[in-house]
Amino acid sequence: MKPIADIAKLVDIHEEDLELYGKYKAKLSPELWEKVKDRPDGKLVLVTAMNPNPAGAGKTLTTIGLSQSLNKLGKRAIAALREPSLGPCLGMKGGATGSGRAQILPADEINLHFTGDIHAITSAHNLLAAMIDNHIHHGNERRLNPKKIVWKRAMDMNDRALRNIVIGLGDGNGQTREDGFLITTASEIMAILCLSESLADLRDRLGKIIIGYDLDDKPVTPADIRAVDAMCVLLKDALKPNLVQTAEGTPVIVHGGPFANIAHGCSSVIGTRLGLKLADYVVTEAGFGADLGAEKFFNIKCRKAGLTPSAAVLVVTVRALKYNGGIPVAQLHEENLDALRAGFANVQRHVENLRSFGVPVVIALNSFHTDTEQEQSEVIALCQKLGADVALSRVWAEGSEGGIDLAEKVIQAAQSASSFTYLYEDQLPIREKIERIVTKLYRGAGVRFSKAALQTMRKAEEMGLSHFPVCMAKTPYSFSDQPDQLGAPSDFTIQVSEIRISQGAGFLVVLTGSLVTMPGLPKKPAAESVFLNEDGEVEGLA
Amino acid sequence: MKPIADIAKLVDIHEEDLELYGKYKAKLSPELWEKVKDRPDGKLVLVTAMNPNPAGAGKTLTTIGLSQSLNKLGKRAIAALREPSLGPCLGMKGGATGSGRAQILPADEINLHFTGDIHAITSAHNLLAAMIDNHIHHGNERRLNPKKIVWKRAMDMNDRALRNIVIGLGDGNGQTREDGFLITTASEIMAILCLSESLADLRDRLGKIIIGYDLDDKPVTPADIRAVDAMCVLLKDALKPNLVQTAEGTPVIVHGGPFANIAHGCSSVIGTRLGLKLADYVVTEAGFGADLGAEKFFNIKCRKAGLTPSAAVLVVTVRALKYNGGIPVAQLHEENLDALRAGFANVQRHVENLRSFGVPVVIALNSFHTDTEQEQSEVIALCQKLGADVALSRVWAEGSEGGIDLAEKVIQAAQSASSFTYLYEDQLPIREKIERIVTKLYRGAGVRFSKAALQTMRKAEEMGLSHFPVCMAKTPYSFSDQPDQLGAPSDFTIQVSEIRISQGAGFLVVLTGSLVTMPGLPKKPAAESVFLNEDGEVEGLA
């Protein structure tokens, strides 16, 4: 690792604009934005993927590797990534900082408390929750309906026992009512932080969160109970993007980490916009496969922030292809060209979808050691038949050297003049936005709405929020809402069970099926395998 | 503010041993301890106070001011303070970084997230809680009795609605059971962190926490459910002391902040011991008045860490004297020499108590703008009649200049050879330890134990823990367990309602009356008054 001040110099950031957190992490000051904001933007490259297989696709890995390869080719490149959440790190998933020779550093610190952003969001979230119950306890001036509080509490931990709870038991302990905890990454504050353009914008959005309804069924906000300023105070440093480096010394902005179902699953707008002023290329990723991640990146993040993507990289793996071709996880290491061809229908649909946004697509075949040469050749041939650029990526084993072909193809793709377009315009009615996503991207036959969903839709219209984009919460494993319908299913109907209004984030969350916003720990959580070695260093996390 | 690296140089700390958190905060590396551990110790000065009045005594202020004055007199001095907790900062109390010309900086950052230590403790606490319920959920191999889990959850927020809750409601969400949240400063992990001498000691102590009992009523620990190493991983940086500065550039170690009732209320052993190697004088404080704070500082912290205090400063104020003389808060600004003389009985008893530990006492009369000259002269005369050194302290208004007299008297007092002694030896039976504190220091007639307390006492004896010191949890306002018995009450009986075993911290918590370990917010919480000004700076916190 090089001192972060040296990394900053690579993109002309001077020490005065760095707030150091140790030698290898820094926050970028708001003054830096003021200095660079009038520069032209670099090119924005989205890394997305086919529907994920349980073993992972290598999207973060490819994002990091591609940024290293672009640098190797003499382009000034920055990767823009999400912050890992402690809950999954210590639960099922482990670290989220890439691996092999495409990692970001210092990995352990990024995976653990990092610069405290997520802790700050937890604090702001729970301050608001405490102020709500305190408001009711001390006379309830705003006439909040205790049965209609929708603002839960938050913790950055996987803790299923906190999903559904009863609070306020016992004399003097406030209103007894049902409640629950979200994992912090599912907090609307996380989505807000990631979509805010400035401190003023953050303040404005926080004030609009719907925390519940009053006895006249009118929405109540943090502004109504004087919580907004204290929340801003708690979040002021979390809003500043964090600078770290890849294993090869490429600058990386790691900032914000919203859930990819109940939220939009992209790193912060502030970080991405700043990156575009500092570099020729900003390589970023979005959560889950392209049906969710890329769709939300384009329709929510790019729309809200006025960003124009220059290219999209679709990460495919031989394993994910075979999984989508019907092979169970335990057999994914065995060569199976038929399954691979069958699974390719999934890739084809994602490519068509990405192209429908007017964005050039490059396919990255992320190499894995169990792949056979024949399998890899077959994937490349199938991609070429589709008329798509494709590159074999070996960034895990080879770092930047393994992504040169990919980087060259991305540079070429990003040269063409943009014809980027959203899937729907703001004015389209809410129902039609959802139907358009389902029929045009998922290729379903239609949408069935629950009564509750229709009611909330009407409420949102009455509140003048029908211009909001929709944020689909769907299983990532399938284009449909059934996780076992792999490949390229069609003729299905999407069931919308519920719609939630994220007025602060500025979107409507559309729930298909039930949504778990507080994960549980597995029987043997990752927490059981991490430890400090004799030198006091973390082992067993990544 | 000077760069923290410059402040560090004042006590010969080189940049390589600093982990910077911005320009003005740093953590001190474990390697620094290795370099200095064989040096002789400086002198340790405890700042304590009479029983507090609701307006505060100025203990933190005096600690900071005295360290500045010692520096002014050419002594190398460091203040060692507790970290403020977010809950009280945003609740009733506001910031805890001193005020006037005796402040520590950067005050807002120290009061808010600081270097993330308390967030790390919250995370470690809640990881353990999640792993307990997860253990039960996945088969309960260790046969934990769900009705006898004593490890609650934690949050650094004042949130009364979380005091008593029911968790695990709903299918698939774990065992349904009663639970509750503590404020993080009440977590045994906070006490452990503050008493640990090293990472190895921390690990050992964490492994000994009693999280509950199994179906055979045997205690179960984090070690039994493989949670210890992950907790260490989360706490490794929090264990490193933090360096900041006073408004006059005196180095300050701010580290750890345990509750002064359920825990011992002192900053970290690691920070204090390091300070003693770096400076001629370490000035530190303990929570509440001397009956709780100084007693625990001597009997718990000094005993566990092998520290020998050279002097104690007892902070008294004209207001606190009048309050202890029976004057209500609203009238404390009015001159009242009779009430002041009556209240002095409180000071007299604290001085006698401190002397009984073999520690020289200097009384600091912390000047307040409503004091009359006659009142201040009367206090000084009363102190002198007691044969006690006394100095008028004006550090709030004048900084180091206002504490010169105090500093000179402290230097003189600290010259004498130590005759420091504990109030009781390890071997004294638990019951007699409690009785000795009550009769010798509180001057009560005796102790009445509840059946539950006697049971736990027996259990502790069976577990071989009778050598533990006791940690009294009593109202801070009175020597007795009744907050309205001010001054110097006697002939009272202390009611012990419960005893809790803090096996990791290494003490037995003795509860007198009910103990709230999760504060609530007042009707108008401090959170409603803080905001960011146009320059993005925090206002309204201190």
Side-chain angles (χ1 to χ4, degrees):
Chain A
M1 268 190 288
K2 292 176 200 151
I4 196 65
D6 294 352
I7 299 296
K9 268 184 218 142
L10 297 176
V11 285
D12 290 337
I13 303 172
H14 301 290
E15 206 142 348
E16 70 208 43
D17 290 319
L18 292 180
E19 297 175 11
L20 295 177
Y21 283 66
K23 284 193 185 66
Y24 306 108
K25 300 170 289 181
K27 282 198 167 276
L28 300 170
S29 77
E31 289 73 32
L32 176 60
W33 171 251
E34 291 303 316
K35 289 178 194 168
V36 301
K37 67 180 182 189
D38 295 327
R39 293 187 191 166
D41 278 345
K43 289 182 186 295
L44 179 60
V45 178
L46 173 71
V47 176
T48 183
M50 55 188 298
N51 291 77
N53 73 83
K59 212 167 42 195
T60 304
L61 177 84
T62 305
T63 306
I64 298 166
L66 174 57
S67 73
Q68 293 182 149
S69 305
L70 285 165
N71 257 332
K72 191 87 173 183
L73 290 172
K75 302 293 180 187
R76 203 182 258 213
I78 289 180
L81 294 173
R82 287 171 293 166
E83 301 187 32
S85 158
L86 212 46
C89 275
L90 297 172
M92 184 86 85
K93 193 177 172 187
T97 48
S99 58
R101 294 189 55 193
Q103 272 192 66
I104 52 173
L105 303 173
D108 296 332
E109 295 182 29
I110 297 169
N111 280 322
L112 294 170
H113 309 293
F114 198 27
T115 56
D117 296 347
I118 299 182
H119 290 318
I121 293 170
T122 304
S123 295
H125 187 113
N126 290 330
L127 172 67
L128 177 56
M131 287 180 82
I132 291 169
D133 280 293
N134 194 56
H135 186 90
I136 297 171
H137 180 72
H138 286 295
N140 200 5
E141 183 193 338
R142 187 56 188 76
R143 302 177 68 243
L144 269 159
N145 183 344
K147 300 262 186 193
K148 290 198 171 173
I149 307 292
V150 296
W151 190 255
K152 298 188 172 191
R153 283 166 169 83
M155 187 184 281
D156 186 17
M157 200 55 70
N158 288 10
D159 193 348
R160 70 171 63 73
L162 294 180
R163 282 175 192 153
N164 289 319
I165 65 176
V166 171
I167 63 168
L169 295 166
D171 190 35
N173 297 337
Q175 171 80 40
T176 306
R177 62 182 187 86
E178 289 182 55
D179 197 17
F181 276 70
L182 316 167
I183 189 165
T184 304
T185 46
S187 165
E188 188 176 344
I189 298 178
M190 174 62 93
I192 287 174
L193 186 115
C194 289
L195 288 169
S196 294
E197 294 178 8
S198 63
L199 208 45
D201 188 20
L202 175 76
R203 187 177 187 285
D204 186 52
R205 289 169 178 273
L206 291 173
K208 288 182 183 157
I209 293 170
I210 297 174
I211 57 178
Y213 296 86
D214 66 15
L215 295 171
D216 303 321
D217 221 25
K218 296 271 174 281
V220 181
T221 67
D224 292 327
I225 60 163
R226 294 175 294 278
V228 180
D229 284 308
M231 293 166 74
C232 282
V233 164
L234 288 171
L235 293 169
K236 76 181 172 73
D237 291 322
L239 189 64
K240 301 172 188 167
N242 307 292
L243 186 70
V244 292
Q245 62 189 288
T246 73
E248 296 188 10
T250 298
V252 185
I253 290 174
V254 176
H255 195 217
F259 250 34
N261 44 34
I262 199 171
H264 61 296
C266 305
S267 65
S268 79
V269 162
I270 285 195
T272 305
R273 293 177 78 184
L274 182 60
L276 289 168
K277 299 299 181 186
L278 298 169
D280 303 327
Y281 287 84
V282 171
V283 188
T284 192
E285 57 163 354
F288 295 150
D291 51 331
L292 287 166
E295 185 269 309
K296 294 182 192 185
F297 178 78
F298 296 142
N299 283 323
I300 299 178
K301 181 172 172 179
C302 289
R303 182 195 307 258
K304 296 270 177 178
L307 300 170
T308 304
S310 295
V313 173
L314 184 75
V315 179
V316 310
T317 67
V318 166
R319 287 159 64 92
L321 282 162
K322 289 187 285 193
Y323 179 76
N324 271 278
I327 303 300
V329 178
Q331 288 160 37
L332 288 180
H333 60 283
E334 295 167 15
E335 184 178 88
N336 191 328
L337 292 167
D338 287 340
L340 187 148
R341 279 180 214 112
F344 195 78
N346 186 265
V347 175
Q348 180 171 347
R349 187 174 288 178
H350 284 302
V351 170
E352 290 166 7
N353 284 349
L354 290 167
R355 285 175 174 164
S356 75
F357 285 93
V359 177
V361 181
V362 179
I363 297 172
L365 174 54
N366 180 24
S367 180
F368 194 73
H369 67 91
T370 58
D371 299 353
T372 67
E373 245 177 79
Q374 265 208 298
E375 286 177 323
Q376 293 192 341
S377 307
E378 182 65 21
V379 177
I380 289 168
L382 287 165
C383 292
Q384 285 165 342
K385 209 185 288 176
L386 214 63
D389 284 329
V390 57
L392 186 65
S393 170
R394 290 201 178 89
V395 295
W396 186 88
E398 299 172 13
S400 59
E401 287 295 346
I404 293 294
D405 186 29
L406 176 62
E408 282 172 342
K409 284 178 171 140
V410 165
I411 292 169
Q412 203 179 355
Q415 295 319 309
S416 51
S418 168
S419 52
F420 175 58
T421 174
Y422 308 122
L423 183 68
Y424 54 82
E425 293 310 309
D426 292 347
Q427 302 88 312
L428 199 67
I430 300 165
R431 185 180 186 131
E432 290 177 42
K433 286 174 184 165
I434 300 167
E435 285 168 347
R436 187 169 297 179
I437 291 171
V438 169
T439 55
K440 299 282 178 195
L441 295 188
Y442 302 167
R443 320 286 177 97
V447 190
R448 198 169 299 142
F449 293 89
S450 73
K451 214 172 133 185
L454 290 169
Q455 271 173 355
T456 312
M457 213 184 285
R458 267 197 304 278
K459 184 175 261 179
E461 280 159 6
E462 285 164 22
M463 289 168 69
L465 306 178
S466 47
H467 63 289
F468 274 5
V470 294
C471 179
M472 301 299 291
K474 179 183 68 71
T475 175
Y477 296 112
S478 171
F479 278 103
S480 79
D481 57 7
Q482 301 302 314
D484 55 355
Q485 294 191 16
L486 306 177
S490 52
D491 277 334
F492 54 84
T493 301
I494 292 277
Q495 312 280 341
V496 171
S497 55
E498 188 188 338
I499 293 180
R500 293 187 193 164
I501 304 173
S502 290
Q503 190 175 231
F507 52 63
L508 302 169
V509 183
V510 178
L511 283 79
T512 65
S514 65
L515 178 68
V516 175
T517 51
M518 171 52 92
L521 292 170
K523 187 168 169 79
K524 188 173 162 49
E528 289 188 14
S529 309
V530 303
F531 63 97
L532 296 175
N533 65 20
E534 283 179 11
D535 298 324
E537 291 157 355
V538 180
E539 290 202 21
L541 191 61
Chain B
M1 267 189 289
K2 293 177 199 150
I4 196 65
D6 294 352
I7 300 295
K9 266 183 219 143
L10 297 176
V11 285
D12 290 336
I13 303 172
H14 300 290
E15 205 142 350
E16 70 210 43
D17 290 319
L18 293 179
E19 297 175 11
L20 294 177
Y21 282 64
K23 284 192 185 69
Y24 306 108
K25 298 171 290 182
K27 282 198 166 278
L28 299 171
S29 77
E31 289 74 31
L32 177 60
W33 171 252
E34 292 303 317
K35 288 177 195 169
V36 302
K37 67 181 181 189
D38 295 326
R39 292 187 192 168
D41 278 345
K43 290 181 185 296
L44 179 59
V45 178
L46 172 71
V47 176
T48 184
M50 53 188 298
N51 291 77
N53 73 85
K59 212 166 43 197
T60 304
L61 177 84
T62 304
T63 306
I64 298 165
L66 174 57
S67 73
Q68 293 182 149
S69 304
L70 286 165
N71 257 331
K72 190 88 173 182
L73 290 172
K75 302 292 180 188
R76 204 182 257 212
I78 288 179
L81 294 172
R82 287 171 294 166
E83 301 188 31
S85 157
L86 211 46
C89 275
L90 297 172
M92 184 85 86
K93 193 177 171 188
T97 49
S99 58
R101 295 188 55 192
Q103 271 193 67
I104 52 173
L105 303 173
D108 296 331
E109 295 180 31
I110 297 169
N111 280 321
L112 295 172
H113 309 294
F114 197 26
T115 57
D117 296 346
I118 299 182
H119 291 317
I121 294 169
T122 305
S123 295
H125 187 113
N126 290 329
L127 172 67
L128 177 56
M131 288 180 81
I132 291 169
D133 280 293
N134 194 56
H135 186 89
I136 297 170
H137 180 73
H138 286 295
N140 200 4
E141 184 192 338
R142 187 56 189 78
R143 303 177 67 243
L144 269 158
N145 183 344
K147 300 262 187 193
K148 290 198 172 173
I149 307 292
V150 296
W151 190 255
K152 298 188 171 191
R153 285 167 168 83
M155 186 184 282
D156 186 17
M157 200 54 71
N158 288 10
D159 193 349
R160 69 171 64 74
L162 294 180
R163 283 175 191 154
N164 290 319
I165 66 175
V166 171
I167 63 167
L169 295 166
D171 190 35
N173 297 337
Q175 172 79 39
T176 306
R177 62 181 186 87
E178 288 182 54
D179 196 16
F181 276 71
L182 315 167
I183 189 165
T184 303
T185 46
S187 166
E188 189 176 344
I189 298 177
M190 174 62 91
I192 287 174
L193 185 117
C194 289
L195 288 168
S196 294
E197 294 178 8
S198 64
L199 209 44
D201 188 21
L202 176 77
R203 188 177 186 285
D204 185 53
R205 289 169 178 273
L206 291 174
K208 289 182 182 156
I209 293 171
I210 296 175
I211 57 178
Y213 297 86
D214 66 14
L215 294 171
D216 303 321
D217 220 25
K218 295 271 174 280
V220 182
T221 67
D224 292 327
I225 60 163
R226 296 174 293 278
V228 180
D229 283 308
M231 293 166 74
C232 283
V233 164
L234 288 172
L235 293 169
K236 75 181 172 74
D237 291 321
L239 191 64
K240 301 173 188 166
N242 307 292
L243 186 70
V244 292
Q245 62 190 290
T246 73
E248 296 187 10
T250 298
V252 185
I253 291 175
V254 176
H255 194 218
F259 250 33
N261 43 34
I262 199 170
H264 60 295
C266 305
S267 65
S268 78
V269 162
I270 285 197
T272 304
R273 292 177 78 183
L274 183 60
L276 288 168
K277 299 299 180 187
L278 298 169
D280 304 325
Y281 286 85
V282 170
V283 187
T284 191
E285 57 162 355
F288 295 150
D291 52 329
L292 287 166
E295 186 271 307
K296 295 184 192 183
F297 178 79
F298 295 143
N299 283 323
I300 300 178
K301 181 172 172 178
C302 289
R303 182 193 308 258
K304 295 271 177 179
L307 300 170
T308 304
S310 296
V313 173
L314 183 74
V315 179
V316 310
T317 67
V318 167
R319 287 159 64 91
L321 282 163
K322 289 186 285 193
Y323 179 76
N324 271 278
I327 303 301
V329 178
Q331 288 159 37
L332 289 180
H333 60 285
E334 295 167 16
E335 184 178 88
N336 191 328
L337 292 169
D338 288 338
L340 187 148
R341 280 180 214 113
F344 194 77
N346 187 265
V347 175
Q348 180 171 347
R349 187 174 289 177
H350 283 303
V351 170
E352 290 165 7
N353 284 349
L354 290 167
R355 285 175 175 163
S356 75
F357 285 93
V359 176
V361 182
V362 179
I363 296 172
L365 172 55
N366 180 24
S367 178
F368 194 72
H369 68 91
T370 58
D371 299 353
T372 66
E373 246 177 79
Q374 265 209 297
E375 286 177 323
Q376 294 191 341
S377 307
E378 181 66 22
V379 176
I380 289 168
L382 287 165
C383 292
Q384 285 165 342
K385 208 184 289 177
L386 214 63
D389 283 328
V390 56
L392 186 64
S393 171
R394 290 202 178 88
V395 296
W396 186 88
E398 299 171 13
S400 59
E401 287 294 347
I404 292 295
D405 185 31
L406 175 62
E408 282 172 343
K409 286 179 170 139
V410 165
I411 292 169
Q412 203 179 355
Q415 294 320 309
S416 51
S418 169
S419 52
F420 175 58
T421 174
Y422 308 123
L423 182 68
Y424 54 81
E425 293 312 308
D426 292 348
Q427 302 90 308
L428 199 68
I430 299 166
R431 185 182 186 129
E432 290 176 42
K433 286 174 184 163
I434 299 167
E435 285 167 346
R436 187 168 297 179
I437 291 172
V438 169
T439 55
K440 299 282 178 194
L441 295 188
Y442 302 168
R443 321 286 176 96
V447 189
R448 197 169 299 143
F449 294 90
S450 73
K451 216 173 131 184
L454 290 169
Q455 271 173 354
T456 312
M457 216 184 282
R458 268 197 303 278
K459 183 174 262 180
E461 280 159 7
E462 284 164 24
M463 290 168 68
L465 305 179
S466 48
H467 63 288
F468 274 5
V470 294
C471 179
M472 302 298 291
K474 179 182 70 69
T475 175
Y477 295 112
S478 171
F479 277 103
S480 78
D481 57 6
Q482 301 301 314
D484 55 356
Q485 293 190 18
L486 306 178
S490 53
D491 277 335
F492 55 84
T493 301
I494 292 276
Q495 313 280 341
V496 171
S497 54
E498 188 188 340
I499 293 181
R500 293 187 193 165
I501 304 174
S502 289
Q503 190 174 234
F507 52 63
L508 303 170
V509 183
V510 178
L511 283 78
T512 65
S514 65
L515 180 68
V516 175
T517 51
M518 171 51 92
L521 291 170
K523 188 170 169 79
K524 187 173 163 49
E528 289 189 13
S529 308
V530 303
F531 63 97
L532 296 175
N533 66 21
E534 282 179 13
D535 297 325
E537 293 157 354
V538 180
E539 291 202 21
L541 191 61

